[in-house]
Amino acid sequence: MGINDELGFDARVAIVTGAGQGMGREHAKMLASRGARVVANDINAERAAETVAEITVDGGVAVADSNDIVTAAADIVQTALDAFGQLHIVVNNAGINAFGRFWEMDSETWWRVFDVSVKGVVEVSRAAMPHLIASGSGRLINVSSNALMGVPLDSAYAAAKSAIWGLGNTLAAEAKEVGVQVSTVLPVAWTPMTEDAFRDPVVQDAMRAHVPASAVSAFVAWLAHQDTTVYGEAFEVAGVAAARTAFSVMPRMKTAEPTPESWAASAGDLMQDGGLEPLRNASQSFRGQMVHLAPELDTVLPADAADVSVR
């Protein structure tokens, strides 16, 4: 497909969670502008209605939904079925954040950040999956964050986004067997959430200029399209730039024997930098470790050695 061939959605039905503002609103508007029928979900009913109003004034089709993604995910899916009769696309965008030192943040706040982000993705995906399978062109897109690598004062959010990353990688492998394409995006965009997070005016100005939320929505819409065959990975997205991501390891090393003293003596070798080995799934990690310990296993260990679905 050429750059000038417009991607249309031919009345396919999409749910976008957290669609009341920021990236979620842009995702909903982008999909609707290309012909999708959209359920704009946000727990803030007024903001969800505002998103629908913006879509409809531009000639798009959308309905608002204010059900809680954690406790009423099935009702969100039912909104799509009641309004449009089917479901093809889910964009799990909703999430919240709160900042503070881990040991100083109260437990209720910490778990609310984690639960809204993770349980929301899990429950909406679980409720949607039978309908995505039935559609024949199901697309499930989960929004993670580069915060999964760790951000001081943001432990709940970082932990949640790490969980979404791991969940997405696993669902991608499972869902491809039933015709559903699952992908994860790690976006950088100027939104109300990032405005609260970054107070440095230099950072704010750079983000306003280079990473509008609508740019991420263009990438999400491409992943969601029924003709797109790229899926199953986690992609960094910022403005008009994107990259595939992979967990990587430095060169492996061995210690003389399995004792604390031996590891203490080997610390310098362990901490040396070197070439990175990308690991895209648990089997690559497991196999690499085993072959490093016993090279003769290279000829007998299967590529999917850690895949518990293989018997």
Side-chain angles (χ1 to χ4, degrees):
M1 178 170 285
I3 194 171
N4 295 318
D5 296 326
E6 183 167 306
L7 297 179
F9 283 86
D10 192 27
R12 281 170 168 76
V13 179
I15 291 172
V16 180
T17 67
Q21 62 179 346
M23 275 191 294
R25 177 172 287 184
E26 294 300 326
H27 298 339
K29 290 169 61 177
M30 175 68 73
L31 290 168
S33 74
R34 299 305 183 100
R37 296 173 290 174
V38 176
V39 175
N41 163 266
D42 198 288
I43 198 167
N44 184 313
E46 183 177 350
R47 288 202 295 248
E50 289 170 357
T51 297
V52 170
E54 290 188 22
I55 288 171
T56 55
V57 77
D58 289 333
V61 178
V63 295
D65 178 278
S66 59
N67 284 297
D68 190 307
I69 58 174
V70 176
T71 61
D75 293 331
I76 301 171
V77 171
Q78 193 61 48
T79 295
L81 299 178
D82 290 344
F84 306 121
Q86 53 191 330
L87 178 62
H88 304 84
I89 300 161
V90 171
V91 182
N92 280 313
N93 167 81
I96 60 173
N97 204 351
F99 300 99
R101 287 185 178 85
F102 172 73
W103 58 88
E104 295 175 350
M105 183 179 291
D106 68 271
S107 178
E108 182 178 351
T109 299
W110 199 98
W111 281 112
R112 174 164 170 73
V113 171
F114 186 90
D115 285 354
V116 168
S117 298
V118 178
K119 282 188 178 180
V121 171
V122 169
E123 295 305 324
V124 172
S125 299
R126 190 189 305 280
M129 190 60 73
H131 307 285
L132 297 179
I133 294 170
S135 76
S137 61
R139 302 290 186 266
L140 177 65
I141 300 164
N142 297 325
V143 178
S144 181
S145 167
N146 59 13
L148 65 82
M149 291 179 275
V151 179
L153 306 183
D154 209 12
S155 61
Y157 187 77
K161 294 304 181 178
S162 298
I164 291 170
W165 176 78
L167 175 69
N169 290 348
T170 300
L171 291 184
E174 293 183 11
K176 70 180 181 181
E177 304 297 334
V178 289
V180 177
Q181 295 184 186
V182 180
S183 298
T184 304
V185 293
L186 287 64
V188 173
W190 182 248
T191 69
M193 184 181 289
T194 53
E195 186 172 4
D196 289 340
F198 299 108
R199 301 304 175 90
D200 186 328
V202 174
V203 176
Q204 291 183 349
D205 289 345
M207 293 187 71
R208 287 192 190 98
H210 298 291
V211 290
S214 58
V216 176
S217 300
F219 191 87
V220 167
W222 170 62
L223 289 177
H225 194 266
Q226 61 272 16
D227 294 334
T228 297
T229 57
V230 173
Y231 72 100
E233 301 203 39
F235 302 93
E236 280 190 342
V237 189
V240 293
R244 296 163 67 199
T245 69
F247 184 87
S248 298
V249 293
M250 297 287 187
R252 293 183 175 89
M253 51 76 63
K254 296 178 185 177
T255 190
E257 56 186 7
T259 66
E261 293 76 17
S262 184
W263 282 115
S266 303
D269 292 336
L270 178 65
M271 297 306 292
Q272 281 187 351
D273 289 339
L276 294 175
E277 177 188 353
L279 302 172
R280 292 184 173 84
N281 55 56
S283 286
Q284 286 185 356
S285 174
F286 172 73
R287 196 178 188 283
Q289 293 177 81
M290 296 302 295
V291 170
H292 181 73
L293 291 169
E296 67 273 13
L297 293 175
D298 192 26
T299 59
V300 296
L301 277 182
D304 56 1
D307 187 345
V308 297
S309 71
V310 178
R311 295 289 185 262

